Amino acid sequence: MFSKVLFKIQDKLKYFYDNSLFLQNIDTFIFVSILAVIIVSVFLSSDNIGFVALVTMFLTLVKILTKKGDRFTFNCFELFLSAYFMLVFISLAGSTLFALSLKGFLKTFIYIGFYFSAAHYLKNNLSKLPYIIITIALCQSFESIVAVMQNIAHVEAISGWQDTSGLNPEEIMTRVYGTLKPFNPNLLGGYFVAGIPSVFAILAYFLLKNKYKKALIFAVGLLLSVFALLATGCRGAYMALFLILVLSFVISVKFFGKNYKKIYFIVMGSVTVMLTAALLFLTSLRTRFLSMFAMRQDSSNSFRFNVYQASVEMFRDNWLLGIGVGNRNFREIYGLYMKTGFDALSAYNIFLEIAVESGLFALIAFLGFLVVLMRDAIRIILNSQDFEKIIFVSAAVISILAVMFHGFVDTVFFRPQIQFIFWIMVAIVSAYGFKKADNTNF
């Protein structure tokens, strides 16, 4: 039914497509807009980044309405994602703070709309994927250089980012925050978590193409990005970095360890040595790392535990539809449940956040999306003989899992700088979709 309506619209607008230079080259503009979203995330505010993403969505819609035979195709995991979005919409309709929840819903709409736009583009333009990954890697490298400079300059904390009570001066860490807005080291840490797999990927890609000089450049970028992540002092990012390194080692040793053994061991060895040396010789980093295990003795940990308890109570009282999506909505309701005198903008756990904001069934739909997504991605990796495909899908898997792992202790996932990288990674898996028979046309 939807396809028939779409085809009728395309028939009526066919004249414009056939006689418009802009429409016949619209894929180029979509490609540029996707790159623009990645680039502007480095220095623009959330609202402005979202506006650029809206341009991508608008161009995609124009293409589908005017190009004969063009249409969306849905993988199995995208059906779960669509169900999640519908449940978020239902949660909005039932929210007691509709106006505040509407703002959060519009953000969700832009994120998921951008994902479908990027996935639709990549399904027909996979040759452009390396340029997208390179852009992410270059932005990561830029942020890592800024972070190194901030670390050298010993920038002061803008707010209480670290519990310094009982610490000696040499144990107080300089937490870098880069150029991402709003300035926050946890946001920068999450940004590196989402993007470092892209640096790994483009390094492997250039090794595959025997472009060793370019590979060396990104090897340096990788080391800088790892150092910068450590300098953020984001403990959740430390946990995710460990997962990134383990998954990268497991995947890369199987596919690249034999052919590029020398370079492979130099890169992996350098990262391992750097991490070990940093923990051994940098007192502030070691203190920050060990504070993860201080439990209630660390004020940041204690604050999170209190937020978790309050958020669980919020979920119990609103388990069916949730309170409505959005951090402003959360903040208003949280005031009725908070355990301390300190406010909270989120649940500091993305899964608990989804449950609180949109209800139990929305959480189930989101988890179903992740499970089926990982199933399809792992099938691609195990069954493909195309090394380039393996590289990019592996990077996507590592990035997605690392972001979700980081999300157990933080909710910077909902910031656009991380969201858009996350959805590009999901779009990579969608574009390389393993089982064509599972696709549903729209």
Side-chain angles (χ1 to χ4, degrees), residues 1 61 73 123 140 150 188 201-202 206 223 228 253 274 281 288 296 334 355 367-368 391 395 407 419 421:
M1 174 182 172
L61 179 62
T73 57
K123 285 173 183 177
Q140 292 279 308
Q150 289 179 341
L188 183 61
I202 209 61
F206 282 130
L223 295 176
V253 75
M274 186 179 74
F281 298 111
R288 183 65 180 167
R296 286 279 186 179
Y334 178 79
L367 291 175
I391 289 171
Q419 277 273 326
I421 294 179

Side-chain angles (χ1 to χ4, degrees), residues 291-331:
S291 69
M292 285 192 292
F293 310 102
M295 304 305 286
R296 286 279 186 179
Q297 299 302 314
D298 181 88
S299 63
S300 179
N301 295 345
S302 182
F303 172 71
R304 275 173 165 76
F305 292 145
N306 289 336
V307 174
Y308 294 153
Q309 291 176 7
S311 297
V312 169
E313 292 182 15
M314 291 168 66
F315 170 67
R316 287 174 179 170
D317 292 343
N318 303 274
W319 67 271
L320 183 60
L321 297 178
I323 62 173
V325 69
N327 62 326
R328 294 182 181 180
N329 196 48
F330 181 95
R331 186 175 186 176

Side-chain angles (χ1 to χ4, degrees), residues 216-328:
L216 180 60
I217 293 173
F218 283 100
V220 173
L222 175 62
L223 295 176
L224 285 175
S225 296
V226 171
F227 174 81
L229 185 151
L230 295 176
T232 65
C234 178
R235 296 169 296 178
Y238 293 171
M239 296 164 52
L241 176 61
F242 177 75
L243 179 65
I244 290 172
L245 294 176
V246 170
L247 292 176
S248 298
F249 177 80
V250 170
I251 294 174
S252 60
V253 75
K254 178 178 180 180
F255 296 106
F256 308 109
K258 294 181 180 180
N259 296 330
Y260 306 98
K261 183 179 293 185
K262 187 175 181 179
I263 298 177
Y264 171 79
F265 280 108
I266 288 175
V267 173
M268 298 303 294
S270 297
V271 172
T272 303
V273 169
M274 186 179 74
L275 290 175
T276 304
L279 288 174
L280 289 176
F281 298 111
L282 296 178
T283 303
S284 59
L285 177 61
R286 184 171 64 252
T287 301
R288 183 65 180 167
F289 177 78
L290 292 176
S291 69
M292 285 192 292
F293 310 102
M295 304 305 286
R296 286 279 186 179
Q297 299 302 314
D298 181 88
S299 63
S300 179
N301 295 345
S302 182
F303 172 71
R304 275 173 165 76
F305 292 145
N306 289 336
V307 174
Y308 294 153
Q309 291 176 7
S311 297
V312 169
E313 292 182 15
M314 291 168 66
F315 170 67
R316 287 174 179 170
D317 292 343
N318 303 274
W319 67 271
L320 183 60
L321 297 178
I323 62 173
V325 69
N327 62 326
R328 294 182 181 180

Side-chain angles (χ1 to χ4, degrees), residues 173-438:
M173 186 177 195
T174 299
R175 299 191 64 187
V176 301
Y177 47 83
T179 65
L180 307 184
K181 297 179 181 179
F183 299 134
N184 187 309
N186 287 348
L187 172 58
L188 183 61
Y191 181 74
F192 282 125
V193 167
I196 282 178
S198 294
V199 187
F200 266 119
I202 209 61
L203 169 60
Y205 174 79
F206 282 130
L207 287 176
L208 182 66
K209 300 297 183 181
N210 296 321
K211 297 180 179 180
Y212 299 114
K213 291 183 179 179
K214 292 181 179 179
L216 180 60
I217 293 173
F218 283 100
V220 173
L222 175 62
L223 295 176
L224 285 175
S225 296
V226 171
F227 174 81
L229 185 151
L230 295 176
T232 65
C234 178
R235 296 169 296 178
Y238 293 171
M239 296 164 52
L241 176 61
F242 177 75
L243 179 65
I244 290 172
L245 294 176
V246 170
L247 292 176
S248 298
F249 177 80
V250 170
I251 294 174
S252 60
V253 75
K254 178 178 180 180
F255 296 106
F256 308 109
K258 294 181 180 180
N259 296 330
Y260 306 98
K261 183 179 293 185
K262 187 175 181 179
I263 298 177
Y264 171 79
F265 280 108
I266 288 175
V267 173
M268 298 303 294
S270 297
V271 172
T272 303
V273 169
M274 186 179 74
L275 290 175
T276 304
L279 288 174
L280 289 176
F281 298 111
L282 296 178
T283 303
S284 59
L285 177 61
R286 184 171 64 252
T287 301
R288 183 65 180 167
F289 177 78
L290 292 176
S291 69
M292 285 192 292
F293 310 102
M295 304 305 286
R296 286 279 186 179
Q297 299 302 314
D298 181 88
S299 63
S300 179
N301 295 345
S302 182
F303 172 71
R304 275 173 165 76
F305 292 145
N306 289 336
V307 174
Y308 294 153
Q309 291 176 7
S311 297
V312 169
E313 292 182 15
M314 291 168 66
F315 170 67
R316 287 174 179 170
D317 292 343
N318 303 274
W319 67 271
L320 183 60
L321 297 178
I323 62 173
V325 69
N327 62 326
R328 294 182 181 180
N329 196 48
F330 181 95
R331 186 175 186 176
E332 290 293 326
I333 304 297
Y334 178 79
L336 303 174
Y337 294 85
M338 66 181 182
K339 302 294 183 182
T340 70
F342 296 95
D343 201 358
L345 296 175
S346 65
Y348 289 96
N349 179 298
I350 59 176
F351 304 104
L352 183 56
E353 182 91 7
I354 290 172
V356 168
E357 291 185 349
S358 304
L360 176 62
F361 295 106
L363 176 61
I364 292 173
F366 187 78
L367 291 175
F369 153 71
L370 289 176
V371 170
V372 178
L373 171 67
M374 288 297 103
R375 181 203 67 181
D376 290 353
I378 292 171
R379 282 179 177 176
I380 294 171
I381 295 171
L382 295 179
N383 291 280
S384 177
Q385 300 299 318
D386 182 345
F387 271 26
E388 182 175 325
K389 180 190 294 187
I390 292 170
I391 289 171
F392 291 132
V393 175
S394 297
V397 168
I398 294 170
S399 177
I400 292 166
L401 290 178
V403 168
M404 291 295 99
F405 192 56
H406 182 201
F408 277 108
V409 292
D410 211 332
T411 44
V412 289
F413 167 73
F414 295 105
R415 291 291 182 181
Q417 295 90 340
I418 299 173
Q419 277 273 326
F420 289 124
I421 294 179
F422 175 84
W423 290 118
I424 287 172
M425 295 301 165
V426 177
I428 291 172
V429 179
S430 178
Y432 279 119
F434 176 64
K435 292 185 71 176
K436 300 294 183 181
D438 285 346

Side-chain angles (χ1 to χ4, degrees), residues 128-170:
K128 299 296 185 181
L129 179 57
Y131 298 100
I132 294 175
I133 298 298
I134 287 173
T135 303
I136 296 174
L138 288 175
C139 289
Q140 292 279 308
S141 299
F142 169 77
E143 282 299 324
S144 67
I145 293 171
V146 172
V148 170
M149 294 173 64
Q150 289 179 341
N151 184 260
I152 294 173
H154 296 288
V155 292
E156 295 183 3
I158 297 176
S159 60
W161 291 336
Q162 183 179 2
D163 182 4
T164 59
S165 60
L167 296 180
N168 296 322
E170 68 273 9

Side-chain angles (χ1 to χ4, degrees), residues 41-53:
S41 294
V42 172
F43 55 87
L44 289 186
S45 64
S46 298
D47 290 343
N48 291 325
I49 300 169
F51 175 78
V52 179

